[in-house]
Amino acid sequence: MTTDTTTRPASATPSWRTIDLMTTAVIGVVFGVAYWGWSSGYTAIETAAPVIGAAKGLLGGPWLIAGVVGGLVVRRPGAALVAETLAAAVSGMIGTQWGATVLLSGVLQGLGVELALAFFLFRSYRVWVAMLGGVLAAAFEMLYEWDAYWSGMTTGWKLTYLGCFALSGAVVAGVGGWALTRALAASGAIDALPAGREAADDRSP
Amino acid sequence: MTVRSWQRLRAPGPLSLVAGCLVPVAGTFAIDSALEGIIGLAAQVLALGWLIRDVRGTVLRAAVGFVAAAGIAVSTWLYGGRDLGEAGMAACRILYLVLPSSMLLPLLRPSQLGDHLAQRLHLPDRGVVACVAALQALDAFAADWRTIQHARRARGLGLDGGPWHRLKGSGATAFALLVVSMRHTGAMSVAMDARGFASATDRTWAEPAPWRPADSLLLSQAVLLAALPWLLH
Amino acid sequence: MPSTRCLPVGKRPTIAARDPRTGGAHVAVEALGWQPLGRRTPVLHDLDLTIPAGQRVLLAGPSGAGKSTLLRALAGLLLTAGHGEVAGSVRIDGHDVNRRLGGTGLLLQDPLAGVVAETVGRDVAFGLENARVPRSEIWPRVHATLSAAQFPYPATHLTRALSGGETQRLVLAGNLVLDNGLLLLDEPTSMLDAVAANAVRGAIQREVRERGCTMVAVEHHLEPWVDFADRLLVIGRHGEVLADGVPAQILAEQGDALSAQGVWLPGLPAPRPVPVDATLVAPWVDGPQRLVTATGVRVELRSSLADRAAPPTVALAGVDVELRSGQALAVTGVSGAGKSTLVSVLAGLLRPTAGSVEADPALATRRGTRPWRWRSRDLTARLAWAPQSPEHGIVTATVRDEVLASARACGRDTARAEARAVGLLEVFGLDGLATVSPYHLSGGEQRRLIVAATLAHGPYGVLLDEPTVGQDRHTWGAVIGAISAARDAGAGVAVSTHDLMAADVLADDRTELAGGRVVR
């Protein structure tokens, strides 16, 4: 009785498959929990050792990793932005000292990674691209922190902080995120996604 | 005002709650002295405090913000010219950013936020649903994290060495959690597609996403809080 | 004013309720093939199958036979979470399954995989929302389905407050609400205790009977399904059909052959434990008589991250239990009774909120006699633990390293540890997989691997959470054989299990828990 209405043309199939959407979202949620965990470690170091000064930018890299991993695993425009924003939102919802302002950070950092991937037309996912993503994510975040957080600091301090943050972004988020993606692909857990498919191709006889 | 309409005004929807957390951020940049900051913070408490439901939880969340603000104040004092006024101002700026969130975020329900993002802001339906569904698994992922840590401890790879050892162990745990959660994601995707999600680009919604007077009220308060430091200026 | 995108009825396709008299969906499979990427051989090959409307099919076969794969193929979901080459076609009521709207009705092993929403009502509504059913029709259908399913909670109840069995019944309702006449079941009760499994099975069978759905069920244990099914389809390790017909007849004619393949059949005695050489599983050195004594143990677990105002749950309340050398203790009870928590407490992984957990003074380390205070590698040398889900227990990159990890961490003699590891992998049928990543094993293989990893380094105490889940008759015998041999060689064993057959064969002593207390 519903013969005509129970089929639809194949062309209407959305370009993001369910697994792409869910993987992006789950990466966001999982890293959100990790961000929340890291926020207490970050605050502990920041409060206990204010003498580290601008070098605390080095502690910022872990905040950028969800975007890199999201972009590298799902390989679609927007995945990095959504993963990073959701991760920030989740950490904020569980409760960190930054409240909902983490959303702003999440969006900016995610855009930084997107920009790096877009620069390579979403075709290259090598370690250099991931590192550039980490650097740009740190730079974008600094647009907001410059005045909101570090208003009392000298410009020299701010530039040192930015340098440390960008370095941490390149190493922890860039190289780290790239290595994590590779290990994840090797585990076979993401065989349905482009990064996993590539690894499965390498595994196949 | 009747009790019921009062109750309704105390229950703003998710979009105005997020706005209430974020819009006042614009005021932060105008805070130029500790005094301005303290006046602004008092205004925030007066404007938003009546919405709080869980007082203890809110105080705990706010306390974390105070610790962070203290840290910033000390840094600013050390590196910003050893000026107490500057340090106080930096701390107030941070608190002005985060205090609204401490008060409003506990009231936010993710599934309601999803309804509103999709129906009111017209974000892509399936993306919104995926994010809400992944959030449902939050507790499952937290439990997974504990189980993996237990397994590593039982196998002699637990977190009881120096900081480097701990960092490595946490990284390995995070990786294992990612693998486990990616498998779970595969199963969830299969279950969702079995209920017709693959083709649900333009779906209906079981719950509406109304904008109520409470939302307009909260939004105007948020705008006032954003403007206040500029006016004090 | 609510802004909704209620779509005008008639303009958009909607799913009309299926008339129960017309029965279930008709399924036609033609030349179906599936070869996942990176595999040498296809999992399914040139399979033809017709399932008339309303037929109840029970799908059986040895582990690794591609039963779950066939179910996913019937649902048109092979490419949802996998990648490879699909051949042939699946048609449901004449429509290509991939272009059919409204889903297929599928229950998976893990109930949590099926939950998408915050509340019971929203979760049931999920499929209707996807099918563009207008809001005014959604809620009547949700309420009708929940009440027909005799679901014990209102639509506003939070999904995260449900038990595993209740969650699976919710997922059932969320699939049935679509009225698509087909229900595919992928071992939906395998993660549940006997009581919850009965409830879920009862709900499924009642609904299938009343709605006249076509059903295809994969279950490890056939017994509770044999009388309900019209047809038994047995497939072999290469996806080939071994038997197809009336269940009672197949069991009578081919029961022995199927049993020899490892398939669990009704009415057979427990498989004989495989004899295992004591030198593979014995404690590294002999331990004291009493290993760990728990007295008046109470454990409260942290509340939800999502709802941080929720109070902690009391998992154990006033439990006394003892882990003794050369004895096997079976901890039984329904899900949520505290079995896993008790085993974790004995394994030194959870700190009791009240009461004491003390090891024998002979096992003391510099940190004393309380196992939860021990350093990780001191703990490993004394007590081993396997989690309920083996995937969570994987800590290395190859099967061989996995079995050796604990021995390395606690500094055991390499040659002896390697000999034990090799022997155990052979006992568990994993010897050909030593260089493979543990993540690439099947669930059943992973579980045996993790059990092997608790035995290889010869701890005094071996604590296992559900060691027999997902095993066929052969591998079940190997797992029980290895655990028994460890016990006979002097290890203290505690097993938390839903598998009463395992408890019967293995246990010298039993503790049954309910609501965190010992009831027997």
Side-chain angles (χ1 to χ4, degrees), chain C residues 453-473:
Chain C
T454 60
L455 295 171
H457 64 294
Y460 302 112
V462 179
L463 300 123
L464 306 167
D465 206 344
E466 302 289 355
T468 57
V469 170
Q471 305 303 320
D472 64 24
R473 289 181 64 92

Side-chain angles (χ1 to χ4, degrees), chain C residues 39-173:
Chain C
R39 286 255 196 130
R40 274 168 219 271
T41 51
V43 178
L44 299 173
H45 179 62
D46 204 19
L47 185 79
D48 293 312
L49 180 67
T50 303
I51 303 172
Q55 192 173 60
R56 303 166 193 166
V57 181
L58 185 54
L59 190 58
S63 64
K67 302 185 292 284
S68 297
T69 310
L70 178 55
L71 276 191
R72 288 185 184 204
L74 293 181
L77 301 174
L78 283 173
L79 295 172
T80 291
H83 195 70
E85 282 184 37
V86 191
S89 73
V90 175
R91 293 185 162 268
I92 296 180
D93 287 341
H95 300 291
D96 182 344
V97 69
N98 292 307
R99 293 170 62 180
R100 191 168 163 274
L101 195 71
T104 40
L106 174 66
L107 264 65
L108 301 173
Q109 267 187 27
D110 181 1
L112 281 180
V115 180
V116 292
E118 187 189 13
T119 60
V120 163
R122 271 318 274 284
D123 202 81
V124 176
F126 175 73
L128 298 173
E129 294 175 322
N130 293 338
R132 301 182 186 78
V133 174
R135 183 176 301 146
S136 58
E137 287 173 36
I138 287 181
W139 288 105
R141 281 176 74 171
V142 168
H143 292 302
T145 306
L146 283 173
S147 77
Q150 298 171 18
F151 197 73
Y153 301 103
T156 51
H157 195 78
L158 294 178
T159 51
R160 66 166 169 271
L162 299 174
S163 72
E166 290 162 354
T167 304
Q168 201 63 295
R169 289 176 61 192
L170 172 68
V171 179
L172 174 69

Side-chain angles (χ1 to χ4, degrees), chain B residues 109 111 115 119-120 125 139 144 153-158 160 183 193-195 202-207, chain C residues 1 5 103-104 114 118 122-123 129-130 133 135 139 304-305 348 371 374-376 380 391-393 402 439:
Chain B
R109 286 178 63 182
S111 65
D115 287 337
Q119 295 178 71
R120 215 152 249 299
D125 286 6
D139 281 335
D144 288 340
R153 170 167 160 76
R155 300 287 292 283
L157 300 163
D160 46 17
R183 302 245 179 213
D193 278 357
R195 290 158 81 185
D202 191 11
R203 63 205 296 277
T204 52
W205 296 83
E207 294 288 347
Chain C
M1 184 178 299
R5 283 199 272 162
T104 40
E118 187 189 13
R122 271 318 274 284
D123 202 81
E129 294 175 322
N130 293 338
V133 174
R135 183 176 301 146
W139 288 105
S304 147
L305 263 186
W374 290 343
R375 285 187 318 170
S376 174
T380 307
E391 201 176 30
H392 291 78
E402 196 66 35
Y439 287 118

Side-chain angles (χ1 to χ4, degrees), chain C residues 261-303:
Chain C
Q261 288 248 15
V263 178
W264 291 100
L265 298 176
L268 290 179
R272 195 181 290 273
V274 172
V276 174
D277 187 349
T279 57
L280 297 179
V281 292
W284 208 260
V285 290
D286 287 339
Q289 228 279 305
R290 276 185 197 171
L291 296 170
V292 182
T293 308
T295 320
V297 166
R298 178 185 179 84
V299 175
E300 292 175 11
L301 295 178
R302 222 185 320 168
S303 56

Side-chain angles (χ1 to χ4, degrees), chain B:
Chain B
M1 189 189 279
T2 65
V3 175
R4 250 185 94 194
S5 57
W6 167 256
Q7 284 299 339
R8 266 195 231 139
L9 276 184
R10 270 192 79 193
L15 292 183
S16 62
L17 283 172
V18 173
C21 296
L22 293 181
V23 173
V25 171
T28 306
F29 304 98
I31 294 175
D32 260 353
S33 71
L35 181 65
E36 273 176 38
I38 289 164
I39 295 172
L41 291 171
Q44 283 188 343
V45 174
L46 282 175
L48 307 176
W50 65 295
L51 293 169
I52 296 172
R53 306 259 161 149
D54 169 20
V55 176
R56 193 176 142 265
T58 306
V59 170
L60 280 177
R61 276 165 182 262
V64 186
F66 275 96
V67 171
I72 299 268
V74 173
S75 297
T76 308
W77 186 75
L78 279 174
Y79 297 97
R82 315 237 158 181
D83 181 335
L84 266 185
E86 282 278 308
M89 182 203 79
C92 284
R93 278 191 165 196
I94 298 305
L95 285 174
Y96 205 80
L97 285 177
V98 303
L99 203 58
S101 303
S102 312
M103 294 188 274
L104 300 181
L105 268 189
L107 304 173
L108 187 69
R109 286 178 63 182
S111 65
Q112 271 185 355
L113 180 61
D115 287 337
H116 284 248
L117 289 176
Q119 295 178 71
R120 215 152 249 299
L121 299 188
H122 299 288
L123 296 188
D125 286 6
R126 295 176 74 239
V128 169
V129 173
C131 290
V132 172
L135 277 172
Q136 292 309 314
L138 178 67
D139 281 335
F141 296 145
D144 288 340
W145 175 270
R146 281 194 291 275
T147 309
I148 293 165
Q149 279 198 324
H150 283 171
R152 294 185 60 81
R153 170 167 160 76
R155 300 287 292 283
L157 300 163
L159 296 178
D160 46 17
W164 175 240
H165 192 90
R166 274 167 189 275
L167 200 65
K168 258 175 57 186
S170 301
T173 310
F175 170 67
L177 176 64
L178 263 183
V179 174
V180 169
S181 61
M182 287 295 109
R183 302 245 179 213
H184 188 74
T185 304
M188 276 186 91
S189 303
V190 167
M192 289 167 82
D193 278 357
R195 290 158 81 185
F197 186 63
S199 52
T201 30
D202 191 11
R203 63 205 296 277
T204 52
W205 296 83
E207 294 288 347
W211 182 271
R212 298 205 171 92
D215 297 304
S216 304
L217 177 65
L218 178 54
L219 183 61
S220 31
Q221 286 177 311
V223 171
L224 283 177
L225 287 174
L228 181 69
W230 298 96
L231 297 174
L232 288 172
H233 210 44

